[in-house]
Amino acid sequence: MELNGKQKRYLRSLAVTMKPIVQIGKAGLSNEILTSIRTACDARELIKVNILQNSDEVALDVAAAIEEMGLDVVQIIGRNLVVFKVSDKKENRKISVDVKALVK
């Protein structure tokens, strides 16, 4: 889903108070971490990913890998990424309903 500026602002405002769900450590970005990011996005739609200090990963490289999976990286601040994906399960779609309403 391609997000416009108003939708991104709304998602960033929701993400301010969130704690990171997924943390990338010294093992780097593995398939298991990418899978956990995808499953967390299916369950919550909006998550925060934190790259720990002992990791050699760069936020832009992690964002590129996440976007290759079909997820939207809404914001990158330092070593934190905000990731959004419309949930595949209808009962988990809470945020995406509001995001779709912001389209003009």
Side-chain angles (χ1 to χ4, degrees), residues 18-59:
M18 291 176 60
K19 294 199 186 298
I21 303 293
V22 179
Q23 295 181 336
I24 301 172
K26 66 181 178 183
L29 191 63
S30 63
N31 286 335
E32 291 82 17
I33 291 180
L34 291 174
T35 303
S36 67
I37 290 171
R38 180 185 297 278
T39 56
C41 278
D42 274 341
R44 299 175 182 245
E45 290 190 319
L46 185 69
I47 65 166
K48 235 183 214 184
V49 177
N50 184 11
I51 304 170
L52 298 176
Q53 294 294 325
N54 61 353
S55 177
D56 292 334
E57 296 291 335
V58 179

Side-chain angles (χ1 to χ4, degrees), residues 24 29 34 37-38 49 51 57-76 81-83:
I24 301 172
L29 191 63
L34 291 174
I37 290 171
R38 180 185 297 278
V49 177
I51 304 170
E57 296 291 335
V58 179
L60 292 174
D61 295 339
V62 173
I66 290 172
E67 287 178 343
E68 284 178 11
M69 295 190 315
L71 308 175
D72 293 314
V73 177
V74 178
Q75 182 180 35
I76 301 172
L81 292 86
V82 177
V83 181

